[in-house]
Amino acid sequence: MEEQTTFQVSGDKARELIGEIARRSEQPLTSCYQCRRCAAGCPVGEATGYLTPDRLIRMVLLGDRDMALNNDLVWRCLSCYTCGTRCPNGIHTSRVTETLKQMAHEEHQEPLYPKIFSFH
């Protein structure tokens, strides 16, 4: 049987994270209702262990700052804007990944892929 891990995030911390990322990325994150249209077209979804744009937004909405800042999708996103063109609410997750890269840099976190960071 697979062990499940659960975590609790304070509502204030989640709201703070959502507010910061929404403000900086200018994306309406709370409009995401997990339809997964963004995931269907994401060219790096398979390469990131099936961490797709909808799941990244869900991490943010749950207030999981560490996972949002430290995952493959943030560093492998091609910024192709496929996610935003498919989203019925116009959420461009690529803008969110750019914001998360900037936040990770500001917090002096080591990038998962230094070469990608140098390009960024």
Side-chain angles (χ1 to χ4, degrees):
M1 184 181 299
E2 192 174 310
E3 185 178 315
Q4 291 184 333
T5 44
T6 59
F7 62 94
Q8 282 191 326
V9 178
S10 111
D12 290 339
K13 286 187 178 187
R15 279 190 289 280
E16 183 180 312
L17 181 63
I18 294 164
E20 180 180 4
I21 294 172
R23 177 183 52 79
R24 291 175 67 161
S25 68
E26 299 179 342
Q27 298 304 299
L29 301 178
T30 56
S31 297
C32 179
Y33 56 88
Q34 302 290 298
C35 69
R36 297 189 43 85
R37 288 183 186 169
C38 56
C42 183
V44 296
E46 280 187 45
T48 60
Y50 297 98
L51 177 61
T52 50
D54 61 304
R55 291 182 179 158
L56 178 64
I57 290 177
R58 188 71 179 154
M59 283 179 201
V60 172
L61 294 176
L62 290 173
D64 193 348
R65 184 183 193 92
D66 290 336
M67 281 299 293
L69 289 172
N70 298 301
N71 66 69
D72 277 356
L73 182 61
V74 167
W75 296 100
R76 290 185 179 210
C77 176
L78 301 172
S79 296
C80 66
Y81 285 85
T82 301
C83 52
T85 59
R86 290 178 178 234
C87 179
N89 291 318
I91 301 170
H92 289 271
T93 309
S94 52
R95 291 184 185 166
V96 174
T97 61
E98 291 298 316
T99 297
L100 290 167
K101 281 181 209 166
Q102 291 169 356
M103 290 171 63
H105 176 68
E106 290 165 7
E107 293 178 13
H108 305 289
Q109 292 186 12
E110 194 67 32
L112 293 180
Y113 300 97
K115 286 183 181 181
I116 293 173
F117 175 73
S118 295
F119 180 76
H120 173 71

